[in-house]
């Protein structure tokens, strides 16, 4: 839509150090599911969050659209997926500058109604040198309609895959929200998550699921992947046990997060060597 064209190319830059406090709290939150690294993989998503006063928050307690993202006429926000290129690891104490711009705004019609997509580009730099280049896909949806929920299909078996097993609980969700300064109510406000946005319970963060897979890939490869792509498939609800799985592929590793209760994959990824 032409009214959103002015947003394309708009951006800003912010800086924050990789502090020992942040590293320690991140390790405590995701203990047991991190690869060996001076700075844990995925910690960059805790840097320079959008921080606004309460009167600038929307219904879901994200910053109101129109401040950092265009004000699309759709109320429900989801982190749909993205791609990261890892150029070099971070070190403790690095002053990281994130440069952000909006690359695209688009609308589509999905099975559940209208969808609005915002594509952001982030570049994380230390002393002017890029450490991570990222594309982030954010989708906005309509409120749920009665009877809208659709059954998801069980994922195929992956014989011989490597797996980590985890049951995300409310404390893990709370800590990850705090680390990323993410006020989205679907992660801690059960009545809102179920009654307004139509989920079956508290929702596990998309980026946290991507972090699990990034760390498993790094653990198996022995180094950061050159490129990591991921996309959300189905909601993951708190207290549901999952397997974080990886198997060899032509590109490097195929990965997924799979609910152990019904075999449904909630997020898929590819780690390129």
């Amino acid at each position: 839509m032409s009214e959103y064209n002015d947003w394309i190319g708009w951006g800003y830059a912010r800086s924050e150090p990789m502090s020992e406090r942040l590293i320690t709290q991140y390790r405590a939150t995701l203990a047991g599911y991190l690869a060996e690294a001076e700075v844990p993989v995925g910690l960059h998503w805790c840097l320079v969050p959008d921080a606004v006063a309460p009167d600038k928050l929307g219904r879901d307690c994200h910053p109101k659209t129109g401040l950092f993202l265009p004000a699309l006429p759709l109320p429900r926000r989801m982190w749909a997926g993205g791609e990261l290129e890892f150029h070099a690891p971070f070190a403790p104490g690095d002053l990281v500058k994130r440069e952000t711009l909006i690359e695209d705004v688009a609308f589509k019609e999905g099975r559940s109604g209208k969808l609005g997509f915002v594509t952001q580009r982030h570049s994380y730099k230390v002393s002017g040198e890029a450490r991570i280049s990222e594309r982030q896909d954010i989708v906005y949806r309509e409120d749920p309609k009665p009877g809208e929920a659709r059954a998801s299909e069980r994922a195929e078996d992956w014989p011989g895959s490597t797996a980590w097993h985890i049951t995300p609980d409310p404390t893990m969700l709370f800590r990850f929200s705090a680390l990323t300064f993410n006020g989205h109510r679907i992660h801690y406000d059960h009545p809102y998550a179920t009654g307004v946005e139509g989920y079956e319970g508290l929702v596990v963060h998309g980026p946290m699921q991507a972090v699990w897979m990034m760390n498993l890939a790094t653990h198996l490869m022995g180094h950061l992947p050159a490129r990591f792509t991921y996309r959300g498939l189905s909601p993951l609800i708190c207290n549901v046990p999952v397997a974080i799985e990886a198997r060899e592929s032509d590109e490097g590793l195929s990965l997924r997060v799979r609910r152990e209760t019904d075999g449904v994959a909630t997020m898929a990824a590819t780690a390129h060597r």
Side-chain angles (χ1 to χ4, degrees):
M1 295 184 180
S2 59
E3 61 262 40
Y4 301 105
N5 287 347
D6 288 349
W7 279 91
I8 297 175
W10 180 83
Y12 55 90
R14 300 177 187 149
S15 298
E16 183 177 348
M18 281 288 188
S19 69
E20 290 292 346
R21 182 191 65 81
L22 196 59
I23 292 170
T24 298
Q25 292 180 350
Y26 189 82
R27 288 193 193 281
T29 300
L30 297 168
Y33 306 98
L34 294 173
E36 288 287 334
E38 270 197 301
V39 173
V41 181
L43 183 58
H44 66 282
W45 277 336
C46 300
L47 298 175
V48 295
D50 296 331
V52 299
D55 64 342
K56 291 182 171 59
L57 297 175
R59 177 188 84 173
D60 60 4
C61 285
H62 271 299
K64 290 179 181 178
T65 54
L67 295 174
F68 305 109
L69 293 168
L72 305 190
L74 298 162
R76 298 170 66 199
R77 169 180 167 144
M78 296 172 57
W79 190 320
E83 178 180 87
L84 301 104
E85 292 183 44
F86 293 95
H87 307 297
F90 294 107
D94 277 345
L95 180 61
V96 182
K97 181 179 182 180
R98 191 189 76 185
E99 298 172 349
T100 295
L101 64 82
I102 292 176
E103 182 177 83
D104 193 29
V105 181
F107 291 86
K108 297 180 182 178
E109 194 77 23
R111 291 182 301 179
S112 59
K114 294 179 181 177
L115 300 171
F117 292 86
V118 179
T119 303
Q120 287 186 309
R121 290 281 178 180
H122 304 296
S123 180
Y124 294 82
K125 297 180 178 180
V126 176
S127 300
E129 295 184 359
R131 299 294 175 88
I132 296 175
S133 301
E134 178 184 11
R135 187 196 80 241
Q136 187 181 113
D137 303 324
I138 300 168
V139 62
Y140 287 88
R141 305 172 59 190
E142 297 174 310
D143 277 328
K145 302 176 180 64
E148 176 185 274
R150 302 170 62 96
S152 300
E153 293 185 7
R154 181 183 178 88
E156 66 177 30
D157 291 335
W158 281 8
S161 62
T162 301
W164 286 345
H165 299 273
I166 185 171
T167 301
D169 60 26
T171 300
M172 177 178 279
L173 269 61
F174 168 79
R175 284 180 158 192
F176 195 81
S177 288
L179 278 167
T180 55
F181 205 69
N182 179 356
H184 201 170
R185 294 169 67 185
I186 61 173
H187 304 306
Y188 62 87
D189 185 339
H190 192 276
Y192 174 84
T194 57
V196 178
E197 299 222 11
Y199 293 106
E200 295 179 3
L202 297 180
V203 180
V204 179
H205 310 68
M208 184 155 65
Q209 296 180 63
V211 163
W212 295 336
M213 293 188 290
M214 272 190 272
N215 277 274
L216 179 55
T218 302
H219 170 71
L220 293 174
M221 291 179 171
H223 56 78
L224 287 167
R227 187 158 56 94
F228 182 88
T229 60
Y230 65 98
R231 62 190 180 94
L233 302 174
S234 188
L236 175 57
I237 302 303
C238 185
N239 290 320
V240 172
V242 294
I244 307 145
E245 299 174 316
R247 66 176 181 179
E248 293 288 335
S249 70
D250 292 341
E251 295 88 356
L253 292 172
S254 294
L255 301 107
R256 68 185 182 185
V257 177
R258 180 177 57 84
R259 299 196 300 244
E260 296 194 290
T261 50
D262 58 9
V264 170
T266 61
M267 183 168 281
T270 300
H272 300 257
R273 294 190 186 279

